[in-house]
Amino acid sequence: MKREKLLVANRGEIACRIIKAGKELGLHTAAVYSSADADSEHVRLADEAHLIGNPEPSESYLSIPKIMDVLKRSAADMVHPGYGFLSENAVFADAVEKSGARFVGPTGKSMRAVGDKLSARSLAVSHGVPVNPGLEGDPSAGDVASFIRKHRFPIMLKASGGGGGRGMRIVRRADDLDRSTREARNEASGAFGSSMIFVEKYIEKAKHVEVQIIGDGKGNCVVLGERECSVQRRHQKLIEESPSPSISQKQRMKLFEWVRKLVRATKYRSAGTFEFILDDAGNLFFLEVNSRLQVEHPVTEVRTGIDIVRNQLLLALTGKLALEQEGVSCRGHAIEVRICAEDAYSNFAPAYGRVPASLFPHAPNVRVDTFLDGSAAIPVYYDSLIAKVIGGGATRDECISRLLKYLPTVIVAGIPTTIPFHIWALSHKEFVSGKYTTSFVEREWRQEVDQEDVRLAAFIAAATEFVQRERYVSSNPTGVNLSAWKTWTLPSAGGSSKK
Amino acid sequence: MKLFAGVSGGEVQFDLTREGTELAAGKHRIRFESSNGIIKSVVIDGIPLKCAVIQSDGVYHVTVRGTTFQVTVDDLRSEQIKEAKKASAAPGEQTIRAPIPGIIKKVFLKAGDAIQKGTPVCTLVAMKMENEITSHLDGVVAEIFVAENATVNKDNIIAKISAK
């Protein structure tokens, strides 16, 4: 049999993860990269790599012509889009399949049916799956005003074609409506090429529960359990776990039944996630479909032992699912924390530059997905995710204590990360109780630095300075004027981050 | 040797002396075991741990127990340093600074424009999110320091504003 070639149209940790799955299956792997990623781990991992342009996503990872050009030149047999970028772009999926290659994901047609938040809503409604009150069809200012009169603030503005928190704004006061609408529309048109938005009632005490499936494209699917992802900032997830500590077995079965209906209706192919909101009265509302592999898919992999990407690739290779529902057993618990290049003590402000050194120690039942190979550049152009740490265990408490022991041993040098936030969150009684909601971070995170850590850092820095001065003295036998120390500028160490 | 470490808005004082392979400060002890470049194994008060130390522009970036701190070390107290700086600084114009690092997508103002609190100044894209930066000042734009598509760091000056 001819050795098939897999083109991975993404970057960062997910590109690395997909390339590794491809290599396991004996595929020849091809990577694409922008000029900002020339030295990135996914470029080194792949059997071949193609430069596609300038760092701006629109000129590289988001450019359909550039990726299609590489597809043609590399003569790849299939394309995995990862998440983000072109992963939910139906035009891209169609273009890939029209060229004769296979798209590792849903067809453009079912992507259109579920990928647009609005059409997904009407699909749910027509199959008896409950949805949150909303206003569809790019409503006018007048429509929005009357929706607000009926349902009151807060409301949520959402980009119709969106995802990942972009093009989304919560509006709590009439004063903010115009500005938030502008921001949401601009963000939506920049990110998704359409400024269409819709309006929903915003549920304050919400939990976010989602169901992972892999469909065969003929209406059948295997359900791989659910995940709860209610620890979020700016509508982007920070911690995900499975099983959800918030739903009963009865609710779980209901969710799976709804999802099977929607998969059957759309003939959904490949990995997908059906997202739901759980309100504080225990009602579940369908939210949207993520018609792609998701960031948090390892949570499910750790719990089921099933490699989702491998199964996506096998489906693309053979046209058949390589697993059956009877073979799926969810065991124990799994929790993932997202380590992002963000300053958790400064409103999660993004950081970028160079990580000159990092360390993720090996530990039992801890999985690390990252593109940091010791050092790495963190370009400003892309999202801030640098690593995912997934702890597995027999129980939820075991996972929590495992991660709490593990995270302080991780080193990502030179830049602030979300690690201290995770240590705080996993120790917080609200998280530990499992009763946390999507407003947990906003309500509870006080950005307080651990004073013992402060003292440790100060001690280490002072001791390093002391040792350097000792060395300076011993290397200057001519005699040194001690009082001159205070005016010295010490030489900066090599490889440090840009200022 | 007396050293003052400035970190997280506070200051910690150490009176360090060498005791063989260890450094002592009061009742605390530290020993550098091995250094793999940036990542170092240290033993503090008998407890081994790994940390990272990077020195850049006179600032130590110390990563310990999952958190990266910026620490300045000096043999003067920070108040003394501040006073010395204050004496040499001239009263400046009011500025609008970048609240986060990112890329300037659009600039709405030019020199000479009159603005008020809340006037949009520019849009700043960071990690895919678009943020509208608005003025917190009333006045007239004296100078714009950023162009569209420019990369800015946190606290870079976007515009100088003079009073009307």
Side-chain angles (χ1 to χ4, degrees):
Chain A
M1 203 172 104
K2 171 181 162 280
R3 190 174 175 213
E4 299 237 8
K5 190 186 276 192
L6 167 68
L7 176 65
V8 179
N10 213 300
R11 64 175 301 281
E13 66 85 20
I14 196 62
C16 296
R17 193 255 174 275
I18 296 165
I19 290 166
K20 285 175 190 167
K23 287 187 155 185
E24 254 183 43
L25 285 170
L27 303 175
H28 185 95
T29 53
V32 294
Y33 65 100
S34 77
S35 54
D37 279 336
D39 191 32
S40 198
E41 177 69 357
H42 75 284
V43 177
R44 290 188 290 258
L45 271 179
D47 297 305
E48 60 182 69
H50 301 264
L51 175 65
I52 44 171
N54 292 332
E56 291 78 10
S58 59
E59 294 181 33
S60 52
Y61 303 103
L62 266 177
S63 164
I64 295 178
K66 291 204 167 152
I67 308 272
M68 290 307 294
D69 180 53
V70 172
L71 177 59
K72 206 170 149 194
R73 279 192 284 133
S74 66
D77 304 283
M78 45 206 235
V79 179
H80 197 308
Y83 53 68
F85 297 125
L86 294 172
S87 61
E88 293 179 277
N89 188 312
V91 175
F92 178 61
D94 284 344
V96 168
E97 303 239 308
K98 212 177 150 201
S99 79
R102 275 154 288 157
F103 183 78
V104 184
T107 59
K109 192 178 167 209
S110 61
M111 229 183 246
R112 281 187 192 91
V114 300
D116 182 285
K117 293 190 191 206
L118 275 183
S119 41
R121 266 179 77 94
S122 32
L123 180 80
V125 171
S126 68
H127 287 84
V129 180
V131 298
N132 187 15
L135 199 56
E136 300 163 12
D138 210 35
S140 68
D143 295 340
V144 176
S146 60
F147 181 84
I148 291 167
R149 270 195 300 278
K150 188 169 168 205
H151 294 283
R152 307 201 168 277
F153 284 110
I155 59 160
M156 174 88 108
L157 307 174
K158 285 185 183 179
S160 299
R166 285 175 295 163
M168 249 192 222
R169 291 290 185 278
I170 299 172
V171 187
R172 296 176 189 283
R173 307 178 311 150
D175 287 354
D176 296 337
L177 187 59
D178 284 349
R179 172 192 164 143
S180 296
T181 307
R182 269 202 312 276
E183 284 184 347
R185 282 190 191 280
N186 284 343
E187 223 168 83
S189 69
F192 316 113
S194 156
S195 66
M196 288 254 289
I197 57 166
F198 70 102
V199 176
E200 258 181 10
K201 171 85 188 135
Y202 179 65
I203 299 173
E204 293 272 14
K205 287 181 184 160
K207 281 173 151 291
H208 178 115
V209 180
E210 59 185 32
V211 179
Q212 173 73 55
I213 62 107
I214 179 160
D216 69 354
K218 298 174 187 112
N220 310 303
C221 72
V222 173
V223 176
L224 297 173
E226 85 284 2
R227 296 182 289 257
E228 173 157 348
C229 321
S230 306
V231 179
Q232 305 183 351
R233 55 89 188 68
R234 299 194 292 257
H235 321 298
Q236 288 176 333
K237 299 159 189 168
L238 283 166
I239 303 179
E240 301 97 346
E241 64 178 315
S242 180
S244 162
S246 320
I247 57 169
S248 64
Q249 186 60 14
K250 205 175 149 196
Q251 285 174 309
R252 182 172 290 119
M253 290 302 126
K254 194 83 208 159
L255 280 178
F256 294 176
E257 184 196 317
W258 288 338
V259 169
R260 283 204 177 88
K261 260 191 207 168
L262 296 175
V263 171
R264 207 170 301 131
T266 51
K267 296 198 166 44
Y268 189 92
R269 183 181 74 187
S270 203
T273 301
F274 290 69
E275 300 193 332
F276 294 83
I277 290 287
L278 178 69
D279 73 11
D280 57 349
N283 300 305
L284 283 159
F285 298 110
F286 169 78
L287 188 63
E288 64 184 64
V289 181
N290 288 145
S291 52
R292 55 172 155 84
L293 181 68
Q294 272 190 299
V295 174
E296 61 271 27
H297 75 275
V299 174
T300 299
E301 295 186 326
V302 165
R303 216 173 144 240
T304 58
I306 288 166
D307 184 326
I308 294 172
V309 178
R310 180 187 177 86
N311 276 283
Q312 283 189 296
L313 295 174
L314 285 171
L315 176 67
L317 284 165
T318 65
K320 282 193 289 250
L321 282 183
L323 72 173
E324 290 173 350
Q325 191 66 57
E326 291 67 39
V328 177
S329 65
C330 296
R331 283 179 309 160
H333 204 94
I335 301 179
E336 171 183 278
V337 299
R338 297 191 190 189
I339 299 179
C340 301
E342 293 180 16
D343 189 350
Y345 295 115
S346 179
N347 271 321
F348 297 97
Y352 60 93
R354 195 160 178 85
V355 175
S358 65
L359 182 70
F360 288 87
H362 298 286
N365 283 324
V366 175
R367 166 173 164 179
V368 179
D369 282 21
T370 183
F371 66 104
L372 284 181
D373 174 34
S375 65
I378 313 293
V380 67
Y381 304 97
Y382 314 117
D383 81 25
S384 59
L385 182 67
I386 50 181
K388 304 183 297 203
V389 173
I390 307 100
T395 63
R396 189 169 187 268
D397 287 348
E398 187 183 323
C399 294
I400 292 174
S401 62
R402 174 159 293 137
L403 286 171
L404 280 175
K405 279 276 176 291
Y406 183 76
L407 290 173
T409 69
V410 171
I411 292 177
V412 178
I415 57 163
T417 70
T418 49
I419 293 174
F421 164 82
H422 289 304
I423 294 172
W424 167 87
L426 293 170
S427 330
H428 195 285
K429 62 178 192 305
E430 188 170 329
F431 183 82
V432 173
S433 74
K435 295 194 163 64
Y436 61 100
T437 67
T438 49
S439 63
F440 170 57
V441 180
E442 206 182 307
R443 258 188 300 111
E444 295 293 325
W445 173 234
R446 304 259 182 280
Q447 315 198 50
E448 279 164 9
V449 183
D450 183 312
Q451 285 308 313
E452 208 184 319
D453 290 351
V454 170
R455 279 200 65 89
L456 274 176
F459 194 23
I460 291 164
T464 308
E465 175 86 8
F466 181 95
V467 171
Q468 285 197 3
R469 291 184 183 198
E470 273 184 336
R471 282 196 196 127
Y472 193 93
V473 172
S474 61
S475 66
N476 282 270
T478 49
V480 175
N481 175 4
L482 296 190
S483 67
W485 273 343
K486 67 186 86 167
T487 57
W488 285 349
T489 326
L490 289 162
S492 63
S496 57
S497 62
K498 273 195 299 218
K499 252 289 179 127
Chain B
M1 187 189 295
K2 238 189 200 129
L3 291 172
F4 297 92
V7 56
S8 286
E11 192 168 63
V12 192
Q13 184 185 332
F14 296 95
D15 200 350
L16 286 157
T17 51
R18 178 163 286 287
E19 290 181 359
T21 58
E22 288 193 324
L23 301 180
K27 60 182 190 338
H28 298 290
R29 299 286 179 277
I30 183 168
R31 182 171 81 241
F32 289 93
E33 292 271 278
S34 68
S35 165
N36 177 15
I38 289 162
I39 295 175
K40 298 173 194 310
S41 296
V42 298
V43 178
I44 296 176
D45 298 337
I47 298 164
L49 60 92
K50 282 197 165 73
C51 62
V53 182
I54 302 168
Q55 233 178 310
S56 171
D57 298 334
V59 178
Y60 287 96
H61 301 256
V62 179
T63 307
V64 62
R65 294 209 297 204
T67 307
T68 300
F69 294 94
Q70 297 191 12
V71 191
T72 54
V73 182
D74 210 288
D75 34 20
L76 283 179
R77 274 186 180 285
S78 61
E79 297 143 37
Q80 289 169 277
I81 296 169
K82 261 187 214 148
E83 264 163 38
K85 275 190 185 157
K86 214 187 271 172
S88 63
E93 276 165 301
Q94 303 261 55
T95 55
I96 295 172
R97 288 169 188 270
I100 51 171
I103 299 161
I104 301 291
K105 192 173 163 202
K106 233 177 159 48
V107 180
F108 301 118
L109 300 175
K110 58 183 191 309
D113 286 352
I115 59 166
Q116 302 172 324
K117 267 181 206 145
T119 304
V121 178
C122 62
T123 49
L124 179 64
V125 180
M127 298 294 175
K128 306 183 296 189
M129 300 288 286
E130 192 162 303
N131 306 275
E132 194 172 276
I133 309 298
T134 54
S135 175
H136 60 286
L137 303 162
D138 295 337
V140 175
V141 178
E143 198 175 347
I144 297 278
F145 287 82
V146 294
E148 284 171 14
N149 295 320
T151 304
V152 292
N153 266 313
K154 182 176 185 321
D155 294 331
N156 278 175
I157 298 176
I158 290 175
K160 281 197 174 166
I161 309 300
S162 52
K164 259 178 213 166

